[in-house]
Amino acid sequence: MAELLRIYDENPSQKHINKVVETLRNGGLIIYPTDTVYGLGCDITNTTALEKIAQIKGVKLEKANFSFVCEDLSNLSDYVKQIDSATFKVLKRNLPGPFTFILPGNNNLPNVFKKKKTVGIRVPDNAICKSIVATLGNPIVSTSIYDEDEVLEYTTDPELIKEKWDHLVDIVIDGGYGDNIPSTVVDLTTSQPEVIREGKGSTENL
């Protein structure tokens, strides 16, 4: 049974954040708010937890396109090859924000992702999310939670999310109603930024 944990975006309780981080460090799965839709996440360094998420999503872990959620751009060099100044300016203009940027991965990627040439980076504009990553000390791996309801596509009510995911995750963070528009996905590994999926983020500043 998942625990429904109320955390306020304006002023996240450090006590509650610590509880979430302890769960992540122990290989637990969480559902948490971002600046777009609610996400399913785990500690990037925990292979068992990564395998659980891949199983839930019905994909092979080494082929999964999960995003790495970072606190800010200082985490970039941990997993991304050196990027040119034009690419960095695009990131700086749009992050934190509702974007997933695809960047070239480096040799420090966790073992299970070693064969991947690219990595999706997220820096959500959400205090709960940032506090979790800051306290954990490394990124969390994340994927959106879809809904079978074709009209809704993404569930926005944390209580309904808990109902549905109760036996699959350890904590569902109630950070208020979520959005139902996902992040804009932009590939920055090509000569010009290429929009892979239009979402909440405006493409004007790319």
Side-chain angles (χ1 to χ4, degrees):
M1 297 276 286
E3 179 179 356
L4 188 65
L5 196 60
R6 182 81 172 105
I7 302 180
Y8 295 92
D9 185 40
E10 303 78 40
N11 188 19
S13 153
Q14 192 57 47
K15 182 183 165 191
H16 286 160
I17 295 291
N18 290 345
K19 183 171 193 177
V20 172
V21 167
E22 189 183 347
T23 298
L24 288 169
R25 284 191 180 132
N26 290 332
L29 306 188
I30 64 165
I31 289 176
Y32 65 97
T34 70
D35 52 358
T36 57
V37 298
Y38 268 80
L40 167 65
C42 73
D43 184 344
I44 197 173
T45 64
N46 193 303
T47 307
T48 309
L50 289 167
E51 280 167 352
K52 278 190 216 162
I53 290 188
Q55 198 175 358
I56 288 170
K57 296 291 279 190
V59 294
K60 285 193 169 158
L61 182 52
E62 56 275 14
K63 291 186 177 172
N65 289 319
F66 297 147
S67 302
F68 291 11
V69 175
C70 304
E71 183 194 0
D72 54 37
L73 291 176
S74 66
N75 289 127
L76 271 193
S77 57
D78 294 349
Y79 301 110
V80 173
K81 279 183 184 167
Q82 197 165 359
I83 52 176
D84 59 32
S85 58
T87 303
F88 188 75
K89 280 176 185 169
V90 171
L91 297 172
K92 199 89 174 134
R93 277 197 300 272
N94 294 283
L95 296 176
F99 288 89
T100 302
F101 285 109
I102 297 169
L103 294 160
N106 67 17
N107 295 331
N108 298 331
L109 288 172
N111 282 337
V112 290
F113 299 126
K114 283 287 187 209
K115 290 180 182 170
K116 291 185 83 64
K117 290 185 170 60
T118 59
V119 60
I121 296 288
R122 280 274 277 129
V123 183
D125 189 11
N126 177 282
I128 298 167
C129 200
K130 284 191 207 166
S131 299
I132 292 168
V133 178
T135 305
L136 182 63
N138 55 256
I140 54 178
V141 156
S142 181
T143 181
S144 303
I145 55 167
Y146 286 98
D147 200 292
E148 279 77 33
D149 185 329
E150 285 175 16
V151 180
L152 270 177
E153 196 169 1
Y154 296 97
T155 308
T156 58
D157 183 341
E159 292 194 5
L160 291 179
I161 292 170
K162 181 187 182 304
E163 220 170 88
K164 183 183 170 186
W165 290 80
D166 211 16
H167 299 289
L168 294 170
V169 301
D170 300 281
I171 291 177
V172 174
I173 296 171
D174 177 356
Y177 276 83
D179 209 326
N180 61 357
I181 302 168
S183 64
T184 294
V185 179
V186 183
D187 189 345
L188 294 180
T189 63
T190 49
S191 55
Q192 292 292 320
E194 186 186 343
V195 178
I196 307 293
R197 176 183 75 192
E198 287 211 24
K200 190 176 175 185
S202 166
T203 54
E204 278 178 25
N205 290 323
L206 296 175

